Amino acid sequence: METPIPTGLITALRTARHVTILTGAGVSAESGIPTFRDALQGLWAHFSPEELATPEAFQRHPRLIWEWYAARRNDVQAALPNPGHLALVALARYVPRLSLITQNVDGLHTRAGSSDVIELHGTIMRVRCSADGTTYTQWDEQAGLPPPCPDCGAPLRPDVVWFGELLPEGALIRAREAAMQCDLFLSIGTSGQVEPAASLPRLAYNRGAVLAVINLDVDDRVQGHYYAIHARSGEFLPRLLAATWPEAA
Ligand code: APR
C-alpha cells in the first residue's frame, strides 16, 4: 500500500523558502547501485570495507584498490538515475531555494540534472593526485594501474573520502550552513549513522525547521514538526511533488 502523504508536509513544502535535502545510499538503491557493503560480492567477497577504503590500504595495495573502485565505477556507469533523483531535479524548479547534499559517491544526482550538488564524500567519477590533491575527470589507465599523475607522477586515487579521512572542508561548511538556514529539511535514504552528515537533520530541526525522514528503517509517524515516512524514495518523491504542485505530475 502507498504511504499516505501527511498534509502538514505538503504545506511545509509548498510554503518553504529554503529546502535542504540530505541523501544517502537508499536514493540510489532503485537504480540498482549496491551499497558499499552489498558491493562486496563475488571477487571482492573476502574483503571488508575497512580493508579497501582506507589510505593505508591504498598505500599497501594501490592496484587492488584502484581495481575495486574501477569495478564500482562500471556499476555506476551502467546505472540510470531513478524517479527519486528526477523528482529532486523537478523540485528545484518549484522551491525558491534548494540545497542538495549527498553522501553518495555515484554522481547520479548530477547525471539526473541536479546542479551544485554538495558531495560530502566526494565522487568516484573523479580522481585526484595522491601527493598534492589536484583533481582530474579524465585519466589514462594504459599508463598504469593506478595511473600516474600527469603533473608529478604520484599515483592517482579516487576522489572519495576514505575511513579515517576528513570530509572536504568547503562541502562540510556549505552543508552546515544549508542545514542552519533552511525551513524544511528532507533526509532521504540514509540511515543517519555516519557522522558528521548524521548531525545535519538535527541541526536543522533544533533551529526550528520542519524535518522529514524518508527511508525503510523508520515507521510512519508525525510528531510536531517531525515527520517519519517509511517509503521508497523513487516511489514517494514523485508523489510528494505531484501532491504539492499538481501541475508537476
Ligand atoms: N528508498 C529510500 N530509502 C531506502 C531505500 C529506498 N528505495 N532503500 C534503502 N533505503 C534506506 C535504508 O532504510 C537506510 O536507511 O537507505 C538507508 C541506507 O543506509 P546506509 O546503507 O547506512 O547508507 P548511508 O546512510 O548512505 O551511509 C552513509 O556510510 O558506508 C558509508 O561512506 C558510506 O556514504 C556512506 C555512509
Side-chain angles (χ1 to χ4, degrees):
M1 207 189 72
E2 285 185 339
T3 310
I5 304 178
T7 47
L9 180 57
I10 295 173
T11 307
L13 184 54
R14 193 180 291 131
T15 55
R17 278 157 298 145
H18 183 174
V19 178
T20 294
I21 300 168
L22 171 68
T23 67
V27 162
S28 292
E30 288 155 273
S31 293
I33 306 280
T35 62
F36 199 81
R37 276 160 216 280
D38 289 347
L40 292 169
Q41 287 171 356
L43 266 181
W44 307 99
H46 53 288
F47 293 103
S48 69
E50 292 77 7
E51 283 173 299
L52 292 172
T54 65
E56 294 76 28
F58 185 68
Q59 259 171 9
R60 258 182 280 128
H61 310 290
R63 184 181 178 120
L64 175 82
I65 305 306
W66 180 272
E67 286 178 342
W68 153 245
Y69 278 92
R72 294 193 71 205
R73 201 176 292 119
N74 279 344
D75 287 346
V76 166
Q77 275 165 337
L80 291 173
N82 66 57
H85 295 109
L86 297 174
L88 297 183
V89 178
L91 192 59
R93 293 199 286 270
Y94 286 90
V95 297
R97 187 161 167 219
L98 183 137
S99 302
L100 179 55
I101 308 162
T102 190
Q103 299 164 87
N104 298 342
V105 296
D106 56 35
L108 279 178
H109 285 302
T110 304
R111 263 175 69 199
S114 288
S115 53
D116 207 17
V117 182
I118 303 172
E119 292 175 320
L120 279 183
H121 293 173
T123 170
I124 55 169
M125 305 317 281
R126 208 168 46 220
V127 300
R128 69 172 193 254
C129 171
S130 56
D132 68 13
T134 309
T135 58
Y136 300 92
T137 51
Q138 289 185 330
W139 54 91
D140 178 12
E141 295 205 348
Q142 304 302 320
L145 294 180
C149 171
D151 209 32
C152 73
L156 293 175
R157 56 162 282 181
D159 192 18
V160 299
V161 177
W162 279 332
F163 289 100
E165 293 186 317
L166 294 175
L167 270 60
E169 202 189 345
L172 189 55
I173 290 172
R174 287 182 64 208
R176 287 209 170 111
E177 277 173 6
M180 287 193 291
Q181 291 167 0
C182 69
D183 38 23
L184 171 62
F185 191 104
L186 305 176
S187 167
I188 310 171
T190 172
S191 59
Q193 287 177 4
V194 177
E195 289 293 352
S199 61
L200 296 171
R202 210 167 34 246
L203 191 60
Y205 180 82
N206 288 342
R207 293 178 72 98
V210 173
L211 171 62
V213 171
I214 301 150
N215 63 44
L216 302 180
D217 295 334
V218 292
D219 292 325
D220 290 334
R221 188 156 75 92
V222 179
Q223 193 178 347
H225 56 122
Y226 171 74
Y227 296 84
I229 293 161
H230 180 100
R232 292 183 197 286
S233 51
E235 179 272 317
F236 183 79
L237 294 176
R239 272 199 305 124
L240 174 62
L241 186 73
T244 311
W245 293 282
E247 68 273 23

